[in-house]
């Protein structure tokens, strides 16, 4: 396996994460990943979320847990799937339904959220890999240390970002975010198991854009 350091290609993130690469947890994570034969997504997609979005361009963060464990689905962006994947994962179907309810935007034709990423929405999972067919299988191996650092960097160095925290796992990151500088939107997870607990009707997309506009930041075009 190539060292994790070489997989981060975006200059601002290369600079900001430079202190991480020699830490013990990174070496342990690299050892773990070297022994993992069926990691998803493809290695060159592990850091898609940050490689496509410089730190100073981050407007919003949608925090997921780990990549989809179905081969061919994940491509390094939380909740997003490769183009032409049908049927969409159930959580993503519910995200699309809430968007339709919130802003009358119909994205049912695709699950590829890369256009959001390009506009400043960091689609970040807390663990960036998973074993094929085994959800949550790469948790607590070191990824969380690195993604916590990414979250803290955004909180510290950016201002007026929106952090969208769906579900208990994402909301564990609240302590990493300065709520005096940023908007935090927290609701139930969009999974069918929990969406009825407060995800429906939460209007995260319009709330995000309202906050950005109020802070003289260009809003997100959520239409794919």
């Amino acid at each position: 396996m190539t060292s994790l350091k070489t997989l981060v290609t975006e200059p601002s993130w290369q600079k900001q994460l430079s202190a991480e690469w020699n830490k013990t947890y990174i070496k342990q994570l690299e050892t773990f990943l070297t022994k993992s034969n069926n990691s998803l997504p493809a290695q060159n997609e592990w850091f898609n979320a940050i490689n496509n979005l410089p730190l100073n361009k981050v407007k919003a963060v949608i925090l997921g847990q780990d990549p989809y464990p179905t081969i061919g689905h994940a491509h390094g962006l939380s909740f997003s799937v490769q183009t032409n994947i049908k049927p969409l994962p159930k959580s993503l179907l519910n995200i699309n339904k809430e968007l339709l309810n919130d802003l009358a935007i119909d994205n049912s034709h695709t699950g590829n959220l890369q256009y959001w990423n390009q506009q400043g929405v960091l689609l970040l999972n807390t663990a960036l890999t998973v074993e094929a067919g085994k959800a949550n299988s790469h948790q607590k191996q070191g990824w969380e240390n690195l993604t916590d650092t990414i979250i803290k960097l955004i909180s510290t160095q950016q201002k007026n970002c929106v952090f969208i925290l769906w579900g208990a796992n994402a909301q564990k990151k609240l302590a990493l975010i300065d709520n005096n500088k940023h908007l935090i939107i927290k609701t139930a997870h969009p999974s069918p198991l929990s969406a009825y607990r407060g995800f429906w009707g939460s209007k995260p997309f319009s709330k995000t854009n309202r906050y950005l506009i109020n802070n003289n930041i260009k809003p997100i075009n959520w239409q794919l």
Side-chain angles (χ1 to χ4, degrees):
M1 190 204 82
T2 307
S3 69
L4 293 176
K5 176 182 178 179
T6 63
L7 298 176
V8 176
T9 57
E10 200 289 315
S12 65
W13 288 111
Q14 284 180 331
K15 178 180 178 181
Q16 294 297 332
L17 295 173
S18 61
E20 298 299 302
W21 305 121
N22 290 322
K23 292 184 177 179
T24 300
Y25 83 86
I26 287 288
K27 302 305 178 185
Q28 292 172 342
L29 176 58
E30 288 176 337
T31 298
F32 170 79
L33 292 169
T34 299
K35 295 177 180 178
S36 300
N37 296 321
N38 298 305
S39 296
L40 299 176
Q43 183 174 280
N44 65 347
E45 296 176 321
W46 291 355
F47 289 101
N48 264 358
I50 61 173
N51 280 339
N52 293 326
L53 183 58
L55 174 56
N56 67 353
K57 299 294 185 183
V58 177
K59 300 178 182 180
V61 179
I62 297 179
L63 195 61
Q65 191 160 337
D66 61 347
Y68 295 117
T70 303
I71 293 172
H73 281 205
H75 61 130
L77 305 177
S78 63
F79 295 102
S80 181
V81 291
Q82 301 270 17
T83 303
N84 299 325
I85 292 296
K86 294 287 183 178
L88 298 181
K90 292 179 180 179
S91 291
L92 185 51
L93 280 172
N94 285 346
I95 290 169
N96 283 345
K97 288 177 183 177
E98 179 60 22
L99 178 58
L100 184 63
N101 175 67
D102 186 3
L103 291 172
I105 291 173
D106 185 356
N107 282 342
S108 58
H109 60 287
T110 184
N112 189 326
L113 308 181
Q114 189 151 357
Y115 182 53
W116 294 0
N117 187 237
Q118 292 167 354
Q119 295 178 77
V121 182
L122 187 69
L123 298 161
L124 183 68
N125 282 312
T126 55
L128 301 187
T129 59
V130 69
E131 183 179 344
K134 297 182 179 180
N136 306 324
S137 51
H138 287 191
Q139 289 188 1
K140 299 181 180 179
Q141 299 297 333
W143 278 128
E144 291 86 352
N145 301 66
L146 184 61
T147 54
D148 280 2
T149 298
I150 291 171
I151 294 167
K152 286 187 283 188
L153 282 167
I154 297 167
S155 178
T156 302
Q157 299 198 22
Q158 288 291 84
K159 61 180 181 179
N160 303 132
C161 283
V162 181
F163 288 82
I164 300 174
L165 308 180
W166 288 327
N169 185 71
Q171 289 165 25
K172 291 177 183 176
K173 309 302 180 181
L174 278 167
L176 306 176
I177 305 163
D178 184 347
N179 64 3
N180 294 312
K181 292 173 59 181
H182 307 290
L183 174 65
I184 299 173
I185 298 173
K186 55 178 183 173
T187 71
H189 194 276
S191 162
L193 298 176
S194 56
Y196 67 92
R197 296 175 186 160
F199 177 74
W200 297 126
S202 60
K203 300 186 181 297
F205 308 101
S206 60
K207 288 177 180 176
T208 295
N209 278 355
R210 190 178 307 117
Y211 178 81
L212 294 176
I213 291 168
N214 287 343
N215 286 283
N216 300 309
I217 299 169
K218 185 178 179 181
I220 306 301
N221 176 9
W222 300 103
Q223 178 71 63
L224 299 173

